Amino acid sequence: MMSQVSSPAEQADGAVVGEQRKPAGTKDVRRLDRVIIRFAGDSGDGMQLTGDRFTSETASFGNDLATLPNFPAEIRAPAGTLPGVSSFQLHFADHDILTPGDAPNVLVAMNPAALKANVGDLPRGAEIIVNTDEFTKRAMQKVGYETSPLEDGSLDGYNLHPVPLTTLTVEALKDFDLTRKEAERSKNMFALGLLSWMYHRPTEGTERFLRSKFAKKPHIAEANIAAFRAGWNFGETTEDFAVSYEVAPAAKAFPVGTYRNISGNLALSYGLIAASRQADLPLFLGSYPITPASDILHELSKHKNFGVRTFQAEDEIAGIGAALGAAFGGSLAVTTTSGPGVALKSETIGLAVSLELPLLIVDIQRGGPSTGLPTKTEQADLLQAMYGRNGEAPVPVVAPRTPADCFDAALEAARIALTYRTPVFLLSDGYLANGSEPWRIPELDELPDLQVRFAQGPNHTLDDGSEVFWPYKRDPQTLARPWAVPGTPGLEHRIGGIEKQDGTGNISYDPANHDFMVRTRQAKVDGIDVPDLEVDDPTGARTLVLGWGSTYGPITAAVRRLRAAGADIAQAHLRHLNPFPRNLGAVLKGYDKVVVPEMNLGQLATLIRAKYLVDARSYNQVNGMPFKAEQLAEALKEAIDD
């Protein structure tokens, strides 16, 4: 969905406020500045689809938004159990926001497991909509409820709305030729219709989506639309919902432009395609499916019309091997994976360092070690990206900070790889990959020029005057070697993992040559041109919070809260983790205290301490979920006061 907005502005991530007005009907409408909704149910209840449709309509309406899908770690956990709960949280507002929100204002719980797994996150006074049909004695006992939470008073602190969603859905679809089980599957659309009425969301887009999704089964499409409309009408007519809510478009939150809602993996995919077009190179992806990176393979496979070729390999090693071969052949080569796959790809990454060919290694980080938490987020692959290879094998590292920023980060990673003839790590994570936010579609003239000049002929003159091609004769500015496409007459040269002689590329076991080549490859990475680190410090603070990757949103929201309360705190966020920005050392030494929040046990802090001898303080979390802004604000306040 796309929308037009105008004029920039920035507001704090504030509290919900509102006023009531009387519409033409009988129900009150309350205006709010922001709302946090969480849909939760069994992994077969369609919560991700429900949340995605609500998000799409919210984006088309013009609100700023941020989402947090949360999937079960098991492919199909037992129905009705706590491990099987799937949820989708959406924060939308009439102003600039940064996170999916700390605590939901509204919980839609499709069964007892969904209620029990999520009720602890709700503030008192929150709205809870429960599907009472699923609160059977057996279902409640399965998750440890000895008595019904709908009747024992344990939910008295909330605004509870018991709704027989399943029964109402089946009744709404009684005229369709569906079995009861088939009709029950549409209860998520009934819930979506109810919430769409409750928050004045557009409906036309969802109806178009359903007709498109079930184009080959029009009776199923119409049944889902009927359930959706029944949910809307239920909200309009029932006495249980006396108030609906309006959240105005965020017309002042963004620069002028055309916007669409986009997830991190989709933005990254588009960034890779844009990079290949700007470089005028075919895009090749060699990949093996792995959560949460598989969406990139799925998306890129749809774009053969842009010269994209995707190869689903038999394993991680074959995927990167094919990608490195494509790089040798003159393509913009990419391999996508997560942490366990990086471990398997490490030898080939080292080979790419030795061959000095452009290759993008996209790591969508998840909880580890080993298989770990496949569907949960973490930032714990930084040291693996930096050092997870044998020998001295330096690789540049770039990290996006928001879902939309994945587009720009992909372009930047491609720029470095193509300019300096090196593999580059692009470190996203599950939170960015699956989360979404508004993205301003850039104009073509805003994209960088990534044009590449391949070697065309001899580049060196021997003592006897003959002209030859030396594959490791370097550009004096970038230290990049020439990129010669196989089959170019006269440019035949050796490749392989054994050390090469400087210039000629011949096999060399000479100790002095090896020392020179190791230091030259390191110097090439150290010399990469990256922008200076920008510091947000309006008041001359003595405490700096330094982040990287997906912690940007929670950190920035926490900093806003502290500043609104009168605290002085500075903020800086790293995109380039290898090499670091050249001014980073000076920035760090300009503050008395440096706090580094990370979703690991302190990997960036370790690098900062080692390189700059700064007593960086770690604040760490490894529970598979992103930081909450309030949690970070409290930790940063303690650091300021310490």
Side-chain angles (χ1 to χ4, degrees), residues 17-21 29-33 244-247:
V17 297
E19 62 181 70
Q20 287 189 343
R21 64 179 177 85
V29 177
R30 182 174 299 165
R31 289 177 177 161
L32 306 176
D33 69 348
S244 63
Y245 304 91
E246 285 184 350
V247 181

Side-chain angles (χ1 to χ4, degrees), residues 170-299:
V170 172
E171 177 65 19
L173 303 184
K174 63 182 180 181
D175 294 333
F176 288 81
D177 186 19
L178 299 173
T179 66
R180 179 179 177 86
K181 187 174 183 180
E182 289 173 332
E184 287 178 358
R185 290 175 183 165
S186 296
K187 63 181 179 290
N188 64 323
M189 289 296 104
F190 189 101
L192 178 60
L194 173 58
L195 268 292
S196 297
W197 170 84
M198 194 171 175
Y199 290 98
H200 294 243
R201 298 297 92 185
T203 60
E204 296 82 2
T206 293
E207 295 192 10
R208 284 196 304 270
F209 167 82
L210 291 171
R211 289 193 172 96
S212 173
K213 180 177 177 65
F214 298 106
K216 296 182 179 179
K217 298 180 179 179
H219 67 292
I220 297 295
E222 294 307 315
N224 277 284
I225 291 170
F228 176 68
R229 291 175 176 174
W232 177 282
N233 293 331
F234 177 78
E236 181 72 23
T237 58
T238 182
E239 295 297 324
D240 194 33
F241 293 91
V243 178
S244 63
Y245 304 91
E246 285 184 350
V247 181
K252 298 180 180 180
F254 310 108
V256 175
T258 301
Y259 287 77
R260 60 157 293 166
N261 184 51
I262 200 164
S263 69
N265 273 351
L266 183 57
L268 201 154
S269 299
Y270 287 175
L272 293 173
I273 296 170
S276 74
R277 294 298 82 212
Q278 292 301 104
D280 196 22
L281 297 175
L283 177 63
F284 179 89
L285 173 67
S287 182
Y288 179 76
I290 184 171
T291 302
S294 299
D295 288 342
I296 301 171
L297 171 61
H298 301 160
E299 181 62 33

Side-chain angles (χ1 to χ4, degrees), residues 67-69 98 262-268 292 364-365 377-379 399-406 409 427-437 548-554 573 599 626:
T67 68
L68 178 62
L98 298 153
I262 200 164
S263 69
N265 273 351
L266 183 57
L268 201 154
I364 313 297
Q365 301 166 94
T377 195
E378 208 163 273
Q379 285 184 297
R401 64 186 189 178
T402 69
D405 188 50
C406 289
L427 289 185
S428 180
D429 61 42
Y431 170 40
L432 295 183
N434 296 317
S436 63
E437 66 176 353
W548 71 278
S550 66
T551 57
Y552 173 78
H573 208 78
M599 292 188 294

Side-chain angles (χ1 to χ4, degrees), residues 78 169 182 198 318 343 488 523 525 586 591 633 639:
T169 302
E182 289 173 332
M198 194 171 175
T488 306
V525 172
Y591 292 89

Side-chain angles (χ1 to χ4, degrees), residues 81-414:
T81 64
L82 293 174
V85 173
S86 174
S87 67
F88 187 105
Q89 183 163 308
L90 166 67
H91 183 189
F92 61 101
D94 65 3
H95 59 274
D96 175 25
I97 58 173
L98 298 153
T99 75
D102 289 356
N105 309 115
V106 182
L107 171 66
V108 179
M110 302 297 281
N111 60 18
L115 177 64
K116 186 158 192 177
N118 293 282
V119 70
D121 293 337
L122 301 180
R124 290 293 173 176
E127 308 268 353
I128 302 178
I129 301 170
V130 296
N131 180 14
T132 55
D133 289 325
E134 294 297 322
F135 278 72
T136 63
K137 184 176 181 180
R138 183 172 181 274
M140 289 187 289
Q141 289 177 341
K142 189 180 292 188
V143 295
Y145 281 128
E146 296 181 2
T147 60
S148 172
L150 309 184
E151 301 171 354
D152 62 10
S154 61
L155 300 178
D156 286 350
Y158 307 99
N159 295 321
L160 180 65
H161 302 279
V163 180
L165 289 172
T166 305
T167 298
L168 291 171
T169 302
V170 172
E171 177 65 19
L173 303 184
K174 63 182 180 181
D175 294 333
F176 288 81
D177 186 19
L178 299 173
T179 66
R180 179 179 177 86
K181 187 174 183 180
E182 289 173 332
E184 287 178 358
R185 290 175 183 165
S186 296
K187 63 181 179 290
N188 64 323
M189 289 296 104
F190 189 101
L192 178 60
L194 173 58
L195 268 292
S196 297
W197 170 84
M198 194 171 175
Y199 290 98
H200 294 243
R201 298 297 92 185
T203 60
E204 296 82 2
T206 293
E207 295 192 10
R208 284 196 304 270
F209 167 82
L210 291 171
R211 289 193 172 96
S212 173
K213 180 177 177 65
F214 298 106
K216 296 182 179 179
K217 298 180 179 179
H219 67 292
I220 297 295
E222 294 307 315
N224 277 284
I225 291 170
F228 176 68
R229 291 175 176 174
W232 177 282
N233 293 331
F234 177 78
E236 181 72 23
T237 58
T238 182
E239 295 297 324
D240 194 33
F241 293 91
V243 178
S244 63
Y245 304 91
E246 285 184 350
V247 181
K252 298 180 180 180
F254 310 108
V256 175
T258 301
Y259 287 77
R260 60 157 293 166
N261 184 51
I262 200 164
S263 69
N265 273 351
L266 183 57
L268 201 154
S269 299
Y270 287 175
L272 293 173
I273 296 170
S276 74
R277 294 298 82 212
Q278 292 301 104
D280 196 22
L281 297 175
L283 177 63
F284 179 89
L285 173 67
S287 182
Y288 179 76
I290 184 171
T291 302
S294 299
D295 288 342
I296 301 171
L297 171 61
H298 301 160
E299 181 62 33
L300 290 181
S301 68
K302 303 174 184 177
H303 297 287
K304 296 180 179 65
N305 56 313
F306 288 115
V308 179
R309 295 295 179 266
T310 54
F311 170 56
Q312 181 174 321
E314 64 268 31
D315 55 41
E316 296 280 7
I317 299 172
I320 191 173
L324 185 56
F328 179 61
S331 293
L332 176 59
V334 185
T335 189
T336 52
T337 189
S338 189
V342 173
L344 293 168
K345 296 177 188 290
S346 61
E347 183 179 6
T348 307
I349 297 171
L351 177 59
V353 171
S354 176
L355 298 182
E356 301 188 46
L357 287 170
L359 173 67
L360 301 185
I361 305 110
V362 178
D363 177 6
I364 313 297
Q365 301 166 94
R366 72 190 207 189
S370 187
T371 307
L373 305 174
T375 61
K376 310 301 181 182
T377 195
E378 208 163 273
Q379 285 184 297
D381 293 350
L382 176 56
L383 294 183
Q384 180 178 222
M386 289 286 291
Y387 304 119
R389 295 163 294 283
N390 64 297
E392 295 287 346
V395 175
V397 180
V398 175
R401 64 186 189 178
T402 69
D405 188 50
C406 289
F407 178 87
D408 295 316
L411 284 165
E412 175 64 0

Side-chain angles (χ1 to χ4, degrees), residues 3-10 62-65 93-97 249-257 259 437-440:
S3 60
Q4 293 282 345
V5 301
S6 61
S7 74
E10 182 175 294
N63 295 120
D64 193 13
L65 61 89
D94 65 3
H95 59 274
D96 175 25
I97 58 173
K252 298 180 180 180
F254 310 108
V256 175
Y259 287 77
E437 66 176 353
W439 171 57
R440 187 180 71 84

